[in-house]
């Protein structure tokens, strides 16, 4: 047994060093004393944990669980997001022993969380209440065929109530008249739905989207009833949900949301209003844009805004430029990005294809960035097509119809060397890649393997993860070149993976 004085002398020798205060075997003595002190501690009575609720979702099939364990162990680890997404789409739950490592992956990678929210099951949510690192699960949707596994069994969620006296005009206030006022009473019969009242944030968002798909007016009315009591994060998510089925009937609600306390909510509202050319924000932006750009002959002249006033900030223009960007060029880029693209054809008397081909000169980068952002924001295929011809960005490619998108991507693969730009473009394309693009990429791998095999690592990985897995045999037959065989092996792994998940 060690006394307090003995321990203090030991610590003192450790602090000043054994050169100044010799103490043979100091580290060994410290270790022995520490173990002895811990062994002498009395046990304390603990409180038993509440039992995990019963599961309602079916478990993943045994073979699929075994494959998930292999993926978590490092085999084809980049396929984890695909496995989780496929299993969640079928409403499965994970086996208990795999919950901790999967929950840890979700803690590090937000993109996995929507799938994990479904797959966690009742035990996963129970675990999440015991570990702060896993609490994100409690905010994710638990929907399985439109019904949450825990509906009616979970305590009502806490709602944030804003401090009194801080109220600004809210969408609910705005609904007192105009189009929004007609909605005010329509949400009564759905406001008490368990999914909306007690669900996680993800559940409530799914419920709102489903209701909006069936009855947009009733969905707006539901939001208006409790808008001021929603958290800022929920308000931003709910505004974003209005992007599906957006119409001028949403304009009064969104215009009022421009006065929200949180920037995220205002930004979401401004982005949606930009997609409504006849909205008040759309008209204000076109007035600003008309002062910034004019055409003389085949030359485009730009005069960026001299200042960013309060009205511009309310309309979603951020006054402070990112590091390395000039203030006026930042404002110009944002004004163009939030101007309805239909305005430019009337303003210049030219179609999109000829507008982007104009001689721009100074401010060219800011103007193109603004148009590219606008094309993506407004999902405008004509402008995306015109801009892609000048600068092939994957964001623009994503706006095009799927067949056209695949054809253009295949053309680029044929024409360009394997470099960072090509990899970035391909990485932005959604999976699965169809036959034309898959064939082009595999042929590019074969052609490049002969003289630049060191450039192929990322392209081979992308091909294995994005090509339709049903094409594994075609890839295996195409060439004996080992890079192509590696793609075929990954496709085979994915094909088996999806087969194991089928009920």
């Amino acid at each position: 047994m060690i006394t307090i004085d003995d321990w203090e002398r030991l610590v003192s020798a450790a602090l000043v060093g054994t050169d100044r205060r010799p103490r043979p075997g100091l580290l060994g003595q410290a270790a022995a004393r520490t173990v002895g002190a811990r062994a002498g501690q009395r046990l304390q009575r603990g409180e038993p944990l509440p039992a995990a609720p019963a599961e309602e979702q079916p478990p993943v099939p045994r073979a699929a669980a075994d494959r998930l364990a292999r993926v978590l162990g490092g085999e084809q680890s980049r396929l984890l997001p695909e496995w989780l997404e496929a299993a969640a789409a079928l409403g499965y739950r994970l086996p208990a022993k795999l919950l901790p490592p999967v929950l840890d992956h979700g803690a590090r990678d937000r993109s996995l969380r929507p799938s994990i929210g479904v797959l966690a099951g009742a035990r996963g949510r129970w675990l999440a209440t015991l570990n702060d690192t896993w609490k994100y699960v409690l905010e994710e949707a638990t929907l399985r065929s439109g019904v949450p596994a825990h509906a009616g069994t979970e305590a009502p969620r806490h709602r944030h109530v804003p401090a009194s006296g801080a109220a600004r005009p809210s969408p609910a206030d705005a609904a007192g008249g105009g189009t929004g006022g007609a909605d005010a009473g329509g949400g009564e019969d759905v406001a008490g739905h368990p999914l909306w009242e007690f669900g996680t944030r993800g559940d409530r968002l799914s419920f709102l989207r489903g209701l909006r798909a069936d009855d947009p007016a009733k969905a707006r009315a539901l939001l208006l009833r409790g808008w001021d009591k929603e958290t800022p994060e929920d308000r931003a998510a709910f505004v974003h949900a209005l992007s599906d089925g957006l119409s001028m009937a949403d304009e009064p609600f969104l215009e009022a949301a421009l006065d929200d306390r949180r920037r995220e909510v205002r930004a979401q509202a401004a982005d949606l209003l930009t997609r409504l050319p006849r909205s008040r924000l759309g008209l204000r932006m076109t007035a600003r844009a008309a002062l910034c750009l004019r055409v003389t002959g085949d030359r485009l002249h730009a005069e960026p805004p001299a200042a960013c006033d309060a009205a511009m900030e309310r309309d979603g223009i951020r006054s402070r430029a990112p590091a390395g960007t000039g203030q006026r060029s930042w404002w110009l880029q944002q004004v163009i990005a939030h101007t309805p693209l239909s305005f430019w054809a009337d303003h210049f008397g030219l179609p999109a294809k000829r507008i982007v081909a104009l001689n721009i000169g100074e401010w060219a980068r800011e103007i193109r960035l603004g148009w590219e952002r606008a094309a993506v924001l407004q999902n405008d295929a004509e402008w995306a097509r015109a801009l892609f011809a000048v600068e092939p960005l994957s964001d623009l490619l994503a706006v095009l119809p799927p067949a056209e998108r695949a054809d253009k991507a295949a053309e680029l693969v044929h024409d360009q060397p394997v470099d960072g730009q090509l990899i970035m473009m391909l990485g932005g394309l959604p999976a699965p890649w169809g036959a034309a693009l898959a064939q082009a990429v595999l042929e590019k791998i074969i052609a490049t393997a002969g003289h630049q095999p060191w450039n192929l690592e990322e392209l081979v990985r992308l091909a294995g993860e994005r090509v339709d897995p049903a094409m594994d045999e075609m890839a295996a037959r195409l060439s004996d070149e080992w890079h192509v065989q590696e793609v075929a092996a990954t496709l085979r792994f994915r094909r088996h993976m999806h087969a194991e998940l089928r009920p």
Side-chain angles (χ1 to χ4, degrees), residues 282-316:
L283 296 176
R284 293 193 295 270
M285 281 297 181
T286 56
R288 294 179 183 115
L291 298 175
C292 291
L293 299 186
R294 61 184 173 83
V295 169
T296 304
D298 64 348
R299 187 172 180 81
L300 184 63
H301 300 273
E303 182 62 36
C308 181
D309 57 26
M312 289 171 66
E313 288 197 65
R314 180 180 182 272
D315 285 346

Side-chain angles (χ1 to χ4, degrees), residues 125-265:
R125 289 188 289 279
W126 175 77
L127 284 172
T129 65
L130 304 173
N131 185 336
D132 285 345
T133 305
W134 299 338
K135 278 192 173 175
Y136 67 86
V137 173
L138 303 177
E139 295 294 329
E140 298 298 330
T142 61
L143 286 177
R144 176 169 56 88
S145 300
V147 179
H150 63 295
T153 62
E154 188 172 293
R157 65 196 294 279
H158 172 72
R159 299 287 186 80
H160 170 71
V161 179
S164 60
R168 287 170 171 266
S170 70
D173 298 328
T179 307
D183 300 336
E188 291 178 2
D189 56 338
V190 291
H193 191 287
L195 201 54
W196 179 253
E197 193 68 13
F198 305 134
T200 65
R201 178 184 301 164
D203 284 335
R204 301 179 76 220
L205 197 54
S206 295
F207 180 78
L208 177 68
R209 284 178 169 143
L211 181 64
R212 181 169 173 80
D214 292 336
D215 190 337
K218 187 173 284 189
R220 277 194 305 276
L222 178 64
L223 286 182
L224 291 168
R225 283 179 58 82
W227 185 252
D228 291 335
K229 295 180 181 177
E230 301 291 355
T231 66
E233 293 78 12
D234 285 353
R235 294 201 304 274
F238 294 155
V239 168
H240 181 69
L242 299 185
S243 59
D244 293 332
L246 184 69
S247 73
M248 277 301 289
D250 300 311
E251 200 264 357
F253 179 93
L254 295 171
E255 177 70 24
L258 293 176
D259 291 312
D260 197 275
R261 297 180 296 279
R262 286 290 287 258
R263 181 171 59 79
E264 293 86 347
V265 180

Side-chain angles (χ1 to χ4, degrees), residues 401-455:
E404 184 180 357
R405 177 195 310 158
D407 289 344
K408 284 193 176 296
E411 287 174 16
L412 274 178
V413 171
H414 280 304
D415 296 341
Q416 285 194 201
V418 179
D419 57 15
Q421 187 179 20
L422 182 66
I423 295 296
M424 189 176 298
M425 186 275 292
L426 289 172
L429 296 178
W433 294 349
L437 181 55
Q439 185 79 27
V441 169
L442 291 171
E443 288 174 358
K444 176 63 73 173
I445 290 173
I446 295 169
T448 308
H451 60 283
Q452 289 182 321
W454 55 86
N455 260 358

